[in-house]
Amino acid sequence: MSAIIGTIVAAVWLMLPAYVTNSSAAFFGGKTPIDRGMYWGTSRLLGDGKTYEGLVKGIACGVLVGIVQNLFAWGYVDLPSFGSFPFFFVTLVCLSAGAMLGDLLGSFAKRRVGLKRGASLPLVDQLDFVVGAWLLLFLFARAWFRNAFSLEVIIAVVVITPMLHLLTNYIGFKMGKKQVPW
Ligand code: CTP
Ligand code: MG
């Protein structure tokens, strides 16, 4: 396997719990807005696209997939692990909860500049959850984060995530799970 392919595989593997979190939140959706309809100024605090159900189901799916991944990583030396028991729970919760946190911050920022729910804000829409996941990893799992995410892997994530995000959102749109294809 060439080095570049190896880096891409590692990047997707390491970010998969965050990817799954984000897409499960969209897949399951929910009804109870986290901001409970609250406004800040003339715009909603977060908007109807951020719900408790999406948050909880998203994090649960992300952590579950990460646990399954870690079972594979122990068997195959080539795949990076999320850490040993019980530390990998910290890593996986940072990846999943961080993804949801970043997504909330992205929506918060969109509302502050007057963008309605579902309006597109390029790069923020595709990378807010990545930044959230990395922020929590940096705060609570720094040694693992530094070791797993080399500069090459970080670059691969930043390049690949927007493409994967657009692709999965398009699929979600076609499935009727998302109101807009981005
Ligand atoms: N979702 C949810 N709860 C969350 C996050 C996402 O229910 N905490 C669901 C919502 O149904 C949302 C969909 O996932 O519409 C897609 O998420 P996203 O694209 O981030 O939301 P948008 O609807 O585009 O809203 P925003 O403009 O706030 O990004
Ligand atoms: Mg978003």
Side-chain angles (χ1 to χ4, degrees):
M1 199 161 49
S2 83
I4 188 138
I5 303 274
T7 304
I8 291 170
V9 169
V12 173
W13 176 263
L14 287 167
M15 290 307 287
L16 198 61
Y19 293 157
V20 168
T21 297
N22 221 30
S23 31
S24 315
F27 184 81
F28 293 112
K31 284 198 169 68
T32 324
I34 293 170
D35 68 7
R36 299 196 176 263
M38 209 161 63
Y39 277 76
W40 184 355
T42 51
S43 298
R44 286 280 295 277
L45 193 63
L46 300 169
D48 284 332
K50 305 295 112 162
T51 68
Y52 280 110
E53 295 89 340
L55 180 82
V56 170
K57 289 174 187 175
I59 293 174
C61 291
V63 171
L64 268 178
V65 165
I67 290 170
V68 174
Q69 279 181 268
N70 226 24
L71 295 174
F72 277 97
W74 281 327
Y76 300 87
V77 275
D78 274 0
L79 295 169
S81 139
F82 295 95
S84 48
F85 180 86
F87 176 74
F88 66 77
F89 282 112
V90 177
T91 318
L92 294 176
V93 169
C94 285
L95 274 162
S96 301
M100 288 283 87
L101 175 71
D103 186 48
L104 293 180
L105 291 174
S107 293
F108 178 80
K110 283 168 76 176
R111 300 301 91 81
R112 301 288 71 72
V113 296
L115 290 170
K116 299 264 174 273
R117 172 199 180 173
S120 96
L121 185 53
L123 293 182
V124 171
D125 281 334
Q126 289 83 40
L127 290 171
D128 54 4
F129 76 98
V130 170
V131 173
W134 286 349
L135 176 70
L136 289 200
L137 286 172
F138 183 77
L139 290 176
F140 302 112
R142 195 168 304 171
W144 178 85
F145 179 55
R146 285 209 167 133
N147 183 50
F149 284 86
S150 63
L151 183 62
E152 289 83 3
V153 171
I154 287 186
I155 292 169
V157 170
V158 170
V159 173
I160 291 160
T161 305
M163 299 194 254
L164 277 178
H165 195 263
L166 290 171
L167 178 72
T168 50
N169 278 1
Y170 185 73
I171 296 169
F173 172 68
K174 284 284 173 198
M175 286 169 73
K177 293 287 177 186
K178 264 192 72 78
Q179 297 173 348
V180 287
W182 51 81

